Amino acid sequence: MRIFSPIFNYVCMITLSTISATFAYTLIFTSPDVGIGYFQMNSLFILIAYLIFATPIQIVLHRYPAMFRKRDLFVYFIGAWVVCTVLALWIDYGLVVFISFDVYLFSFCAALIYWTWDSVFLMNKRLKRL
């Protein structure tokens, strides 16, 4: 059973990160009259973004594990900001994305959420093994 422990910890971390980031996105960007379908689609997009972009960064940062390292938060923030900016430009949000407070706020929230759950679920377990 111990062999599945890292997989279970990663699934818990990515699930809680996705749910938390979706709530943050809903609070920052959406009006209160949206339906559950909008919430589900945002969850799916955030999950895909975490899996494609944040997981490779996480693998590199886990070479030297440390819980709640500020450098890791900064790297996650830069990665989240790049992804949010590219997606906003791709959906024709315009160059306003570079001065929009909402993009910076959501990028920081997404990075903070992922960094926190990463430190709680994965770094804690890794450091106990070392």
Side-chain angles (χ1 to χ4, degrees), residues 10 13 50-66 69 71-73 75-76 114-115 118 122-123 126:
Y10 180 75
M13 188 266 321
Y50 275 152
L51 289 175
I52 292 174
F53 300 108
T55 302
I57 294 171
Q58 182 183 35
I59 291 169
V60 171
L61 293 176
H62 279 218
R63 288 184 184 167
Y64 305 105
R69 188 170 31 193
R71 182 191 69 164
D72 293 354
L73 176 62
V75 171
Y76 285 139
Y114 195 81
W115 174 72
D118 176 40
L122 299 181
M123 288 293 188
R126 254 187 107 153

Side-chain angles (χ1 to χ4, degrees), residues 23-91:
F23 277 119
Y25 182 86
T26 303
L27 290 174
I28 294 171
F29 287 109
T30 61
S31 63
D33 59 340
V34 296
I36 190 76
Y38 187 78
F39 188 79
Q40 291 171 343
M41 287 306 293
N42 283 336
S43 295
L44 178 66
F45 291 142
I46 291 172
L47 174 66
I48 291 169
Y50 275 152
L51 289 175
I52 292 174
F53 300 108
T55 302
I57 294 171
Q58 182 183 35
I59 291 169
V60 171
L61 293 176
H62 279 218
R63 288 184 184 167
Y64 305 105
M67 287 181 63
F68 299 107
R69 188 170 31 193
K70 290 174 185 64
R71 182 191 69 164
D72 293 354
L73 176 62
F74 181 72
V75 171
Y76 285 139
F77 170 69
I78 295 299
W81 181 78
V82 167
V83 170
C84 288
T85 303
V86 168
L87 289 176
L89 290 172
W90 183 53
I91 62 171

Side-chain angles (χ1 to χ4, degrees), residues 4-23:
F4 294 115
S5 180
I7 295 169
F8 178 73
N9 289 335
Y10 180 75
V11 168
C12 288
M13 188 266 321
I14 200 77
T15 303
L16 289 172
S17 296
T18 302
I19 291 169
S20 302
T22 304
F23 277 119

Side-chain angles (χ1 to χ4, degrees), residues 29 81 88 93-106:
F29 287 109
W81 181 78
Y93 191 63
L95 294 177
V96 176
V97 72
F98 294 108
I99 58 173
S100 175
F101 178 72
D102 293 341
V103 173
Y104 291 103
L105 179 64
F106 180 68

